Amino acid sequence: LQGRSPGMSLDSLMKHDLYAVWQSKELMHLFEFIKDYNTGAGTHRVYVVGADMQNADGIYDVFDYCKKRNIPLAGITDHDLQLTADLGKGEKYNFKKLPAEDKQRIKETIRSFQECFDRLSKDTTVTATDEFTEALQDFTIVRQCFENETAGIFKWIKYRNEMLAQNVLWAEKNMARGRGVVFIAHNGHIADASMSTGKYIKQA
């Protein structure tokens, strides 16, 4: 099992990081099988990549990426990162009920990182690296989490599936690289109905 948080255990993932519907023995066994397979897979490793914008923890990876490259991040505090990472976390999360100051800090944090990536994108020696591509995708999903929380319900349904399709296609292009992708999701996403992820993938 390949992830960006090497210290995370499968038990922790199943109990705390996945929605209840995914906390099953079957999924646990699948992860264990992939982990065992990857031990001797060499360059043919299987990657498990989150594609839905329901977790903004990637903001920490984005922060680390910028910090390692000595990119100025003045004004971004641990509290700002935590506020941003919490976007959409848990079924009871409600962005609209946050204090105005917290909402503003989240907006400013996302704006600051956007400016960082805008500057980095001008350097082709940087944009050609896998590290940049992955950090940018981490930030893209964080930004999607924010936009998802601030969208109206009808826009939210369309937006979520459009972004989910883009993220699946990103994984196919940048991680699978021709080896194929298995997309696991609720039937409502996979179906060929109007505004479904499956529909948007076919249209791409």
Side-chain angles (χ1 to χ4, degrees):
L1 183 61
Q2 180 73 16
R4 307 248 166 77
S5 301
M8 178 182 290
S9 68
L10 285 179
D11 285 338
S12 174
L13 176 68
M14 298 300 295
K15 291 178 181 178
H16 305 296
D17 292 276
L18 295 177
Y19 278 95
V21 68
W22 295 108
Q23 295 174 3
S24 66
K25 290 188 294 184
E26 290 78 11
L27 188 61
M28 172 68 91
H29 292 159
L30 175 61
F31 283 167
E32 289 173 338
F33 171 82
I34 292 173
K35 186 177 181 180
D36 290 341
Y37 168 82
N38 280 348
T39 301
T43 59
H44 298 288
R45 294 170 63 86
V46 173
Y47 293 84
V48 178
V49 182
D52 204 351
M53 77 297 290
Q54 291 185 312
N55 189 313
D57 283 341
I59 194 67
Y60 291 110
D61 292 326
V62 173
F63 178 80
D64 289 342
Y65 174 83
C66 294
K67 188 175 180 181
K68 289 177 182 176
R69 282 149 189 82
N70 298 314
I71 298 171
L73 294 169
I76 296 180
T77 66
D78 289 341
H79 181 60
D80 295 332
L81 295 174
Q82 184 64 63
L83 284 172
T84 306
D86 284 343
L87 279 167
K89 190 167 288 184
E91 297 177 3
K92 295 182 180 180
Y93 182 88
N94 191 331
F95 177 84
K96 294 179 180 179
K97 291 185 178 181
L98 291 179
E101 182 180 351
D102 287 351
K103 292 179 184 178
Q104 187 60 32
R105 289 311 307 161
I106 294 172
K107 292 178 183 178
E108 286 298 315
T109 300
I110 291 174
R111 182 190 60 78
S112 295
F113 280 112
Q114 183 64 64
E115 290 177 352
C116 289
F117 280 102
D118 287 344
R119 289 197 299 271
L120 288 169
S121 296
K122 296 176 181 179
D123 187 341
T124 56
T125 63
V126 172
T127 58
T129 65
D130 288 342
E131 290 81 5
F132 172 83
T133 301
E134 292 176 8
L136 179 59
Q137 179 64 5
D138 276 334
F139 175 67
T140 296
I141 291 178
V142 170
R143 194 179 63 241
Q144 290 171 359
C145 285
F146 173 72
E147 293 175 356
N148 193 38
E149 287 299 320
T150 56
I153 184 62
F154 293 108
K155 179 182 176 183
W156 172 82
I157 295 171
K158 182 175 186 290
Y159 177 80
R160 182 181 174 193
N161 281 300
E162 281 184 313
M163 296 304 103
L164 183 50
Q166 288 184 20
N167 295 339
V168 170
L169 292 170
W170 178 91
E172 181 180 37
K173 176 183 177 181
N174 294 283
M175 301 196 76
R177 290 174 180 165
R179 294 195 291 124
V181 168
V182 175
F183 177 33
I184 302 176
H186 187 281
N187 286 345
H189 293 299
I190 297 175
D192 195 25
S194 174
M195 293 195 302
S196 72
T197 303
K199 189 76 170 182
Y200 291 125
I201 289 176
K202 287 184 176 181
Q203 291 175 351

